[in-house]
Amino acid sequence: MISQKSSPEPLAAHLRQIAGRVGIAQLLLLLLAGGLTWLLVDYARMLLLRRKMPPGPFPYPIIGNTFQLPDKKPWIYFEQLAKEYNSGIITFWIGRNPTVWLNDAQTASDLLDKRAATFSSRPHMVVFGDLAFGQASLVTMYYGDRFRVHRKLTHMGVGMQQVRGYQNLQSDENKVVLYDLLTDSENYVTHFERYAASVVSIIGYGRRISKVTDPIITEVIYLMQRAAEHNVPGKSFPMLLETFPILAKFPKWMAPWMKNFRKPRAKNFFYALAEEAATNPDGNDCYSKKLFEQGPKYNLSDVELSTLSGSLFGAGSDTSSSTLVTFVLACCAFPETLTKAWEELDRVVGPHRSPNFEDEANLVYVKALVKEVLRWRSVAIIGGQPHAPIQDEIYKGWLIPKNTWVQGNVWAIHRNEREFPDPDRFDPERYLKDGANSRPFPNERGYMTFGWGRRVCVGQALAEQGTFISIARLLWAFNIQKALDGNGNEIPVDIFDYTDGLNIRPNPFKCRITPRNDEIRRTIEREGKQAQEDLAIYNGETKYRITTYRETE
């Protein structure tokens, strides 16, 4: 038999396959070597930078210290780290980027107040920056000319000069709260939410919120609370995107973690509310009208009009009501503090009228109690959004690189034994000059509840004004006590049982809210009815609902 020779074509194809496999293998090896080289160089960068920065736990490549974050309340963990390293300032790596946490009052004041010209910007943020309103919102905006425009416009609504003009409506809305609590004290939280939301709604949109069933209460405050729950450092979605920003670049069809993110439309719910108020010829003067009037002058986009009006509402409603819920918890947990407040209120005010703003100078103990509420369990527990320096800064020999995420840990600041001995005890006397626990503090107020420097909450004056009159009136009107069980025994309250979000408030608890005497009850009824009549000019309803005014892709 004659054997057949192999065809040259199959042999050539076979050789090409071998060469291709060798080429692919070499390519894979090259990519692997390149990746390892990049990893080593990047990790060397992290370790060299770590040597120059404030102390903190040792970071790992790529993931940094993210995996060490607790599932809940990371501010407690950072307080513990500050004690462990015996330093008011620590470094914690979120992925490949360092974050700096300020855990005592002096450090926060030195950097965020005294160096405000440097530390007033924002770092790059993925979740509440890139995936939200980005540079169209004052909350996340980098420091610069546009920031100053937005700040100026916000002061036009709630600046120091405007706030005193809101005293009457704050006073009337608060009188309505007292009146509502006479017949429905069990739902005190909802009444606080209605009050706080109504005040900012009148300011922002010229329309009050007269019912606890108003959609602003049932929908918008819920939305604000949900956003706050997600806006804390974490090792789960969505905040895991800050550790691995590349995950935010994936298309939604292949990234289930992105399914809840939608690029906000310019004309969203808050724009609709603002436009409705601004174009209503029969409506009251309000912040939204001023914004639309100033829009052309400052070339405001639709999304900027939305964020300016919406941020005012978001910052002033949930936070103010949460402060009042904390006040009620403090009354239940530390009833001994109420006796001095009642004595002062009875002496200065009496039962035939409620306290007013003119009484403030004479209500020394009540003012101290208000300050202690703001200190004891501050709502913005990590000081709001992070700061970032616009240039490299050196503090006590440590480097804080440009654009670093810098966060003030208000929880740790307000629980530092140096300024606040026995910090978990609610003690108004620490704010009296002759108080046994009175200590020096870096600022005049004695707390850092509203932030620092040029990023301090623009609604601070409005919030402090409203908190004073609310607490003074509640103290004057009611005895606030622990609830009773079926056997008539007091039900204990837990002063640490708080929510986990950026803005904290006590988890639901029951209490007893009863008028202090019949004369005060009659005064509450008389003033409450009159306040409802005076506020009637702001009555009205919006046609928009957040559940139906959906933002689409």
Side-chain angles (χ1 to χ4, degrees):
M1 296 180 60
I2 301 174
S3 62
Q4 294 181 337
K5 292 184 178 180
S6 300
S7 171
E9 288 78 7
L11 180 60
H14 183 62
L15 292 174
R16 283 196 299 272
Q17 289 177 353
I18 295 175
R21 284 196 292 271
V22 171
I24 292 173
Q26 289 177 332
L27 179 61
L28 291 174
L29 287 173
L30 185 62
L31 290 174
L32 180 61
L36 288 173
T37 301
W38 174 86
L39 181 64
L40 290 173
V41 171
D42 185 69
Y43 192 44
R45 172 196 65 85
M46 292 173 61
L47 296 181
L48 288 172
L49 191 57
R50 179 179 181 269
R51 295 180 60 184
K52 303 176 184 179
M53 294 189 67
F58 193 84
Y60 289 79
I62 301 178
I63 60 173
N65 303 115
T66 300
F67 68 96
Q68 295 174 259
L69 284 169
D71 294 329
K72 296 180 179 179
K73 296 179 173 62
W75 44 88
I76 298 177
Y77 172 64
F78 290 120
E79 178 190 35
Q80 293 169 345
L81 284 180
K83 293 178 179 178
E84 178 182 335
Y85 289 97
N86 193 28
S87 174
I89 179 172
I90 61 169
T91 304
F92 190 88
W93 290 76
I94 298 296
R96 300 169 51 247
N97 299 311
T99 64
V100 171
W101 284 80
L102 313 179
N103 295 281
D104 68 17
Q106 193 60 58
T107 303
S109 179
D110 287 345
L111 294 177
L112 305 183
D113 284 330
K114 295 177 182 178
R115 302 193 194 184
T118 299
F119 279 88
S120 291
S121 195
R122 295 290 194 217
H124 174 240
M125 291 182 280
V126 176
V127 178
F128 286 86
D130 297 349
L131 299 176
F133 292 104
Q135 295 306 297
S137 172
L138 179 66
V139 176
T140 53
M141 192 177 288
Y142 302 142
Y143 188 76
D145 291 340
R146 203 58 180 170
F147 168 84
R148 284 184 281 271
V149 168
H150 276 239
R151 188 81 173 180
K152 177 180 179 180
L153 291 170
T154 306
H155 279 295
M156 186 175 67
V158 290
M160 287 289 293
Q161 295 180 349
Q162 285 71 34
V163 163
R164 286 194 175 274
Y166 302 141
Q167 285 185 349
N168 286 340
L169 69 91
Q170 280 182 310
S171 178
D172 283 338
E173 285 289 9
N174 183 260
K175 289 176 180 177
V176 173
V177 172
L178 303 187
Y179 186 42
D180 289 338
L181 290 175
L182 284 180
T183 56
D184 187 30
S185 62
E186 184 176 348
N187 294 308
Y188 67 95
V189 174
T190 307
H191 293 301
F192 291 161
E193 290 175 340
R194 186 213 63 78
Y195 155 75
S198 188
V199 169
V200 293
S201 183
I202 293 173
I203 295 170
Y205 307 113
R207 180 184 75 87
R208 76 179 296 248
I209 297 170
S210 59
K211 301 176 181 178
V212 296
T213 54
D214 189 291
I216 293 289
I217 300 292
T218 57
E219 297 179 358
V220 178
I221 288 186
Y222 171 77
L223 178 68
M224 300 296 177
Q225 291 173 350
R226 288 289 294 167
E229 289 174 10
H230 292 301
N231 195 10
V232 292
K235 55 188 177 185
S236 59
F237 289 106
M239 291 303 285
L240 189 61
L241 297 175
E242 301 292 350
T243 298
F244 303 113
I246 193 172
L247 296 178
K249 305 295 184 182
F250 282 57
K252 292 181 181 178
W253 60 268
M254 63 179 300
W257 56 85
M258 294 297 294
K259 65 181 181 180
N260 293 323
F261 287 102
R262 292 174 293 175
K263 193 65 176 177
R265 283 185 58 197
K267 293 187 176 181
N268 62 6
F269 175 71
F270 286 109
Y271 178 91
L273 290 182
E275 184 183 44
E276 180 183 49
T279 57
N280 182 2
D282 300 321
N284 298 291
D285 288 336
C286 61
Y287 180 52
S288 291
K289 283 191 175 183
K290 294 177 183 178
L291 283 178
F292 273 74
E293 290 170 359
Q294 296 294 316
K297 176 181 177 181
Y298 294 104
N299 194 29
L300 295 177
S301 66
D302 290 344
V303 69
E304 287 178 300
L305 289 167
S306 168
T307 60
L308 282 164
S309 68
S311 295
L312 172 66
F313 189 92
S317 55
D318 179 44
T319 52
S320 295
S321 57
S322 295
T323 299
L324 296 182
V325 180
T326 280
F327 160 72
V328 171
L329 178 65
C331 290
C332 292
F334 302 93
E336 66 276 7
T337 62
L338 303 183
T339 304
K340 286 188 177 182
W342 290 334
E343 185 279 326
E344 185 176 73
L345 286 161
D346 290 343
R347 174 171 44 84
V348 174
V349 179
H352 303 299
R353 68 171 178 87
S354 63
N356 55 44
F357 288 104
E358 287 70 32
D359 295 317
E360 184 173 1
N362 297 318
L363 296 175
V364 178
Y365 184 83
V366 171
K367 287 175 62 177
L369 191 146
V370 170
K371 286 189 172 186
E372 180 69 341
V373 170
L374 293 170
R375 191 279 314 175
W376 184 61
R377 295 289 186 265
S378 299
V379 174
I381 200 63
I382 53 175
Q385 300 290 352
H387 293 234
I390 58 175
Q391 63 187 32
D392 287 356
E393 283 285 327
I394 302 295
Y395 180 68
K396 294 184 176 179
W398 289 313
L399 171 68
I400 303 177
K402 176 182 178 181
N403 296 328
T404 298
W405 188 306
V406 178
Q407 195 89 51
N409 186 356
V410 178
W411 169 263
I413 290 169
H414 284 173
R415 296 179 75 257
N416 192 303
E417 293 273 359
R418 183 177 60 243
E419 286 89 13
F420 305 107
D422 195 7
D424 289 316
R425 168 162 287 282
F426 185 81
D427 180 15
E429 295 197 18
R430 69 176 83 245
Y431 284 103
L432 299 177
K433 291 182 180 179
D434 57 350
N437 284 330
S438 177
R439 298 289 189 276
F441 197 76
N443 65 33
E444 294 181 358
R445 284 182 165 85
Y447 52 80
M448 293 180 170
T449 306
F450 296 95
W452 304 269
R454 299 174 189 176
R455 289 286 181 172
V456 70
C457 175
V458 290
Q460 177 173 357
L462 181 69
E464 289 176 329
Q465 180 173 281
T467 301
F468 164 76
I469 198 63
S470 297
I471 289 178
R473 290 251 179 85
L474 288 165
L475 285 168
W476 166 84
F478 300 110
N479 186 7
I480 302 173
Q481 303 167 281
K482 297 183 182 76
L484 301 178
D485 62 20
N487 297 320
N489 299 316
E490 289 187 336
I491 301 173
V493 293
D494 185 349
I495 63 173
F496 296 100
D497 187 17
Y498 271 70
T499 57
D500 300 318
L502 180 73
N503 295 329
I504 65 168
R505 65 162 56 185
N507 283 313
F509 66 96
K510 293 183 178 181
C511 64
R512 288 177 290 158
I513 301 177
T514 54
R516 291 179 56 216
N517 57 55
D518 288 338
E519 284 185 289
I520 286 177
R521 173 191 285 273
R522 287 191 289 270
T523 302
I524 293 171
E525 291 174 343
R526 183 183 71 253
E527 291 189 351
K529 292 175 182 177
Q530 183 61 53
Q532 288 178 329
E533 293 180 14
D534 294 342
L535 289 167
I537 59 172
Y538 299 112
N539 287 344
E541 292 189 10
T542 177
K543 63 183 178 181
Y544 296 107
R545 301 288 185 271
I546 201 167
T547 50
T548 55
Y549 200 90
R550 291 291 186 184
E551 296 170 353
T552 58
E553 297 295 335

